[in-house]
Amino acid sequence: MAETLFVLTNDDPGGQEPELFAEFLDFLAVQQVPATFFTIPASGGESLEQRPRWVELLHRALNEGHELQHHGYVHTAFEFGVPPYFMLDIMPESKAQWQRDPAPFTAQHTQAILTEKLLKGREIFKKTLGYEPLGFRAPCVAICDNMYAALHELGFQWSSNLVVNPMGWRYINRNYEAGEPWQATFPPRPFHHPSGLIEAPVHSEYTWYLTDEDIDRHFELAKRDFDRARAAGDAFVAMSHYFAMTGKWSAGLRVYERLFAYARSLGNVRFVTLSQMLAEKRPTA
């Protein structure tokens, strides 16, 4: 069996409850697993420059071998596009507003508006963390063509917005029998996007506010996805959110504890960041 690369991505650092992010960093240190953190430059309109505790923790993450990439600007559901259908289904109020009148939402998705947000966010990264991220994930994986065009024009190299298996979001709604298939409109591995970027799809989200009773079911979902990716010779890319898997919701950490142990038990598995994986895995056409 060829080596399998395991990529753990985690969204929304820079936002709420930094103490839960610190807990997650502690967990990863014990597990010796690097993560790719999609970081919000100005969560709720407040720049990282105004959040010294977050700057401290993000520097710690970098020092411990994790990577930080760009995640929206202020982080709203429709900030860079329209969320996919399975994401909208877990946000019924936002979905209803969009369905009633989509024009106010799509009016904010011009390339000029999105470019300005990316530039402002990138400047915050430069001032507070000393570098420019080359990867991007939109809040709520809400995308549009103008987003990709803006990213390409600004020199971003890759994005990670497409979801291979929507069942993780069906599980969030406790719809375990949905039978949602893997997406067939794009490959479950990095590929060249028409915009000129590399798109690195994520398999699913497995640890959204779980209790102990959820651990077995969600571990099995993640295990099936991992096994399928491994059998195909692909990397496995997981999405997670630090605040939804720590503190009183630390059942999510137990899912990953089991998943990491399972992956290691198979042998020939290496834990890497998303950038490291992309440096090794040649994108498909």
Side-chain angles (χ1 to χ4, degrees):
M1 176 68 73
E3 181 181 57
T4 303
L5 300 183
F6 190 129
V7 181
L8 176 63
T9 72
N10 190 271
D11 291 6
D12 298 355
Q16 57 183 299
E17 298 175 288
E19 67 278 6
L20 295 182
F21 185 66
E23 179 185 339
F24 190 51
L25 289 178
D26 292 342
F27 170 76
L28 294 177
V30 171
Q31 295 294 316
Q32 298 184 13
V33 170
T36 296
F37 290 114
F38 288 98
T39 303
I40 309 169
S43 179
E46 185 177 57
S47 169
L48 284 174
E49 298 171 88
Q50 301 167 280
R51 298 185 171 205
R53 177 57 175 153
W54 269 113
V55 175
E56 174 189 348
L57 286 170
L58 293 171
H59 277 297
R60 174 189 165 186
L62 290 172
N63 291 336
E64 293 181 359
H66 308 293
E67 72 170 346
L68 309 179
Q69 300 295 347
H70 203 139
H71 191 43
Y73 178 54
V74 301
H75 197 292
T76 59
F78 289 80
E79 188 175 29
F80 278 80
V82 178
Y85 66 94
F86 52 85
M87 186 71 74
L88 287 171
D89 285 347
I90 67 170
M91 304 183 295
E93 292 184 8
S94 296
K95 179 180 180 180
Q97 291 174 356
W98 174 69
Q99 288 178 328
R100 281 195 301 269
D101 186 8
F105 296 95
T106 56
Q108 297 302 309
H109 300 156
T110 67
Q111 186 173 337
I113 290 174
L114 300 184
T115 296
E116 182 181 10
K117 290 180 179 180
L118 290 168
L119 285 170
K120 288 180 178 179
R122 190 159 69 179
E123 187 62 26
I124 291 170
F125 272 96
K126 289 169 62 177
K127 285 184 177 180
T128 58
L129 300 168
Y131 77 102
E132 296 182 8
L134 298 176
F136 180 82
R137 177 176 289 161
C140 300
V141 290
I143 60 176
C144 66
D145 289 343
N146 285 335
M147 180 203 77
Y148 279 105
L151 290 170
H152 179 66
E153 185 176 277
L154 292 176
F156 283 82
Q157 295 181 359
W158 56 268
S159 71
S160 179
N161 290 291
L162 299 179
V163 171
V164 175
N165 185 4
M167 271 305 290
W169 283 266
R170 299 311 190 196
Y171 274 35
I172 289 173
N173 270 344
R174 299 300 191 259
N175 186 3
Y176 303 119
E177 308 304 323
E180 189 84 44
W182 274 28
Q183 300 292 282
T185 56
F186 55 87
R189 61 189 66 89
F191 66 93
H192 292 288
H193 190 271
S195 64
L197 270 70
I198 294 172
E199 173 63 34
V202 62
H203 281 87
S204 200
E205 158 74 68
Y206 305 103
T207 51
W208 186 259
Y209 293 121
L210 305 186
T211 65
D212 289 345
E213 290 72 26
D214 297 317
I215 291 175
D216 288 347
R217 190 192 301 269
H218 285 251
F219 166 72
E220 288 300 326
L221 176 65
K223 176 179 175 293
R224 288 195 299 270
D225 284 354
F226 175 84
D227 287 343
R228 184 168 171 178
R230 180 176 171 87
D234 294 332
F236 175 69
V237 183
M239 179 188 289
S240 59
H241 293 75
Y242 68 91
F243 55 84
M245 58 195 299
T246 49
K248 68 178 180 178
W249 305 109
S250 62
L253 298 182
R254 306 290 78 77
V255 170
Y256 274 104
E257 194 172 53
R258 287 179 61 179
L259 189 61
F260 295 157
Y262 171 74
R264 287 183 167 119
S265 74
L266 299 177
N268 217 16
V269 171
R270 183 157 47 97
F271 297 90
V272 296
T273 66
L274 196 42
S275 290
Q276 289 170 335
M277 183 271 280
L278 289 172
E280 298 186 33
K281 289 282 187 179
R282 183 183 296 274
T284 59

